[in-house]
Amino acid sequence: LLIEMNGCRYRCVVTGSCGIQYSDAAILTVDLPYNLFEITVSANPTAGGSVTGAGVYETAQTCTVTATANTGYEFVNWTENGVEVSRDPSYSFLVQTYRNLVANFSVQTITVTTQVQPYEGGTISGSGTYNYGAHVLLTATPSDGFGFSNWTENGNVISTNRSISFTAVNDRSLVANFIAQLPELHVTDITHSDMIAGQQVTVSWTVQNDGLFSTPNGALWHDYVWLSVESRVAAGDNNPIFLGSFDNLSALEPGEYY
């Protein structure tokens, strides 16, 4: 029986005496020459990746074992008898004895980050870290007075739906964009009583919402009354006189007025 290992041939001779029965199958144990050592490698878990470099090496010969992660996994380290020996996927060493090396892999972690624009526009659920291949669901919820516009990634619109889903295969950073749902208010029918020095003046006006959205509930919007020689009060006007403000405690729906 000839056995060839590492470029060398070894002859194994089996002898016996007459009358002894031999089975068809037998286990043959071969002791390697003193200067040859076997290096074994394995992957943990086996689905995590592949390993190369196993074989029989001569003493002081350089052995290089290599671990390659499969899709969805990442290499962690090489261990021997549970002790870490290298964090490099390609590990080289001088052979001095038998060695049993294990390449350890872990499931790849995917990070999904989100941002709200503007920051007061709403909230997002679903961001965080996921295992490779996991299902991700992101949902954008607008705050009062805001509406959802779209999702963007790297400045590109990827969806106009508030909820989007995808498979975690790479890190992603998405922005949920909201728009303020502002009313369109017009002031008309401004009237006042006769203006006589030293006497009280009564001013009245009508405010109508001609927009598509209502005003917010609560004392969050106000009527400001100014006295000016101009028909409109704007930034830069000279000497407008502020007379007071009036809180509005209820929403003014589109088409409504007071």
Side-chain angles (χ1 to χ4, degrees), residues 34-229:
Y34 72 92
N35 65 329
L36 293 180
F37 297 100
E38 184 179 15
I39 307 299
T40 61
V41 293
S42 61
N44 177 42
T46 54
S50 59
V51 289
T52 60
V56 176
Y57 293 83
E58 295 180 356
T59 303
Q61 186 178 355
T62 298
C63 173
T64 299
V65 292
T66 302
T68 304
N70 288 336
T71 301
Y73 288 84
E74 53 192 5
F75 174 77
V76 178
N77 58 16
W78 285 100
T79 56
E80 186 173 21
N81 298 320
V83 179
E84 181 180 87
V85 294
S86 178
R87 294 184 180 180
D88 192 333
S90 184
Y91 171 45
S92 297
F93 55 91
L94 292 179
V95 175
Q96 301 292 339
T97 186
Y98 299 98
R99 300 190 69 176
N100 182 17
L101 300 168
V102 178
N104 298 287
F105 301 90
S106 64
V107 177
Q108 184 180 353
T109 299
I110 303 299
T111 301
V112 178
T113 59
T114 57
Q115 179 184 353
V116 172
Q117 183 64 36
Y119 73 91
E120 73 274 18
T123 59
I124 300 172
S125 63
S127 58
T129 57
Y130 293 84
N131 287 338
Y132 183 95
H135 178 75
V136 181
L137 175 63
L138 300 179
T139 300
T141 303
S143 301
D144 289 341
F146 285 84
F148 176 75
S149 177
N150 54 42
W151 288 98
T152 56
E153 187 173 21
N154 299 321
N156 301 314
V157 176
I158 60 173
S159 178
T160 56
N161 297 322
R162 290 200 304 113
S163 293
I164 59 173
S165 61
F166 53 89
T167 301
V169 294
N170 54 268
D171 293 343
R172 299 187 67 175
S173 179
L174 300 98
V175 179
N177 299 284
F178 299 89
I179 55 174
Q181 295 180 328
L182 300 176
E184 186 177 343
L185 303 180
H186 294 128
V187 179
T188 60
D189 302 329
I190 302 176
T191 61
H192 57 81
S193 61
D194 292 337
M195 293 186 179
I196 300 175
Q199 294 187 8
Q200 183 175 349
V201 176
T202 300
V203 179
S204 63
W205 62 90
T206 298
V207 177
Q208 179 166 329
N209 185 359
D210 294 325
L212 299 177
F213 306 103
S214 64
T215 58
N217 285 310
L220 300 177
W221 61 292
H222 321 275
D223 290 346
Y224 293 97
V225 181
W226 299 79
L227 180 62
S228 173
V229 295

